[in-house]
Amino acid sequence: MGFADSRVAEAKARSDQSVPVQSGRGDGEDGDNPAPIPVKLVVAGGFGVGKTTLVGAVSEIPPLTTEEEMTVASEGVDDLSGVDRKETTTVALDFGRITISDEVVLYLFGAPGQNRFWPLWNDLALGAVGAVVLVDTRKLQEAFASVDFFERRGIPFVVAVNIFDDGYQYEPEEVRDALVIPPEVPIVICDARDRALCKNALVTLARHAIDRTPSELT
């Protein structure tokens, strides 16, 4: 088992499994029960950090993606360092859904990572209860813009450190110090390909948002 694999296994062991994730609700299952509360969450981060992968891994429905092939037109525009094998990129948003309980359904909106698509972030953030800022430790400096975006708007967020086999595996508190993350902001270890770890990041965010804005979510 490689070092990255051991970190993922450790994160799984630490993740809180007390909140079950149910499968999607079918037609006719509601009966007299009220409709679940829709909660909008944003998955953000730099270019190539794994946002589309995370949404696809955790969504209970086939995710909506706006992936387009990368062409020579992006040369000199997009920074491909660390993601030189990337062949497609999100040009608008990713969308997925995950049912947390009979009362709560999370709607996930993945934001595009390239700087030229950042004007879309304002629209995606409208009505969002919180955000997951996905971090690639190989390009840690790219996380500053995402952190600043949500801090300035007062939107609760958590930092999810995505594990890459060729990246240095920092401890969460090292990431906190490097990005100057306030102590109340949760930092979790994540593998964007792993549904359980992605779910844990989302549940952590939901709890953090409830702690920050209880009057809006209860």
Side-chain angles (χ1 to χ4, degrees):
M1 177 182 291
F3 184 59
D5 292 333
S6 67
R7 289 300 302 276
V8 169
E10 179 183 352
K12 284 184 179 179
R14 292 180 178 178
S15 65
D16 187 353
Q17 302 299 326
S18 62
V19 179
V21 177
Q22 302 179 355
S23 60
R25 301 161 71 95
D27 294 337
E29 292 182 359
D30 287 343
D32 295 329
N33 295 329
I37 299 172
V39 177
K40 179 181 181 180
L41 302 178
V42 176
V43 180
F47 177 55
V49 75
K51 301 179 294 294
T52 299
T53 301
L54 186 152
V55 173
V58 79
S59 179
E60 66 195 18
I61 62 172
L64 168 67
T65 63
T66 55
E67 291 277 290
E68 296 292 342
E69 290 188 5
M70 298 182 64
T71 67
V72 294
S74 67
E75 293 181 1
V77 178
D78 297 325
D79 181 5
L80 299 180
S81 57
V83 290
D84 50 289
R85 291 180 294 180
K86 187 173 177 61
E87 297 180 350
T88 62
T89 185
T90 299
V91 296
L93 58 86
D94 302 308
F95 174 78
R97 184 189 72 194
I98 178 171
T99 301
I100 294 297
S101 68
D102 288 338
E103 293 78 29
V104 178
V105 175
L106 305 182
Y107 291 93
L108 311 178
F109 291 79
Q114 299 98 311
N115 293 353
R116 65 182 185 275
F117 295 133
W118 275 17
L120 295 173
W121 283 38
N122 288 317
D123 293 330
L124 292 177
L126 287 175
V129 169
V132 172
V133 175
L134 202 57
V135 171
D136 180 351
T137 58
R138 302 170 302 175
K139 304 183 296 179
L140 201 56
Q141 72 282 357
E142 293 188 3
F144 282 107
S146 300
V147 169
D148 182 69
F149 179 90
F150 295 107
E151 282 185 335
R152 287 179 178 273
R153 288 158 180 79
I155 298 175
F157 67 95
V158 302
V159 173
V161 181
N162 197 11
I163 296 294
F164 289 90
D165 292 335
D166 59 343
Y168 183 81
Q169 309 306 317
Y170 293 94
E171 294 294 333
E173 291 308 308
E174 292 181 291
V175 174
R176 185 184 304 280
D177 292 342
L179 296 177
V180 198
I181 303 296
E184 67 274 11
V185 175
I187 298 180
V188 298
I189 298 296
C190 185
D191 182 335
R193 302 163 296 184
D194 188 287
R195 189 172 191 269
L197 291 179
C198 295
K199 182 206 75 172
N200 180 64
L202 295 172
V203 170
T204 300
L205 171 60
R207 288 174 171 164
H208 178 56
I210 289 172
D211 290 341
R212 287 283 307 276
T213 56
S215 62
E216 296 179 15
L217 297 178
T218 58

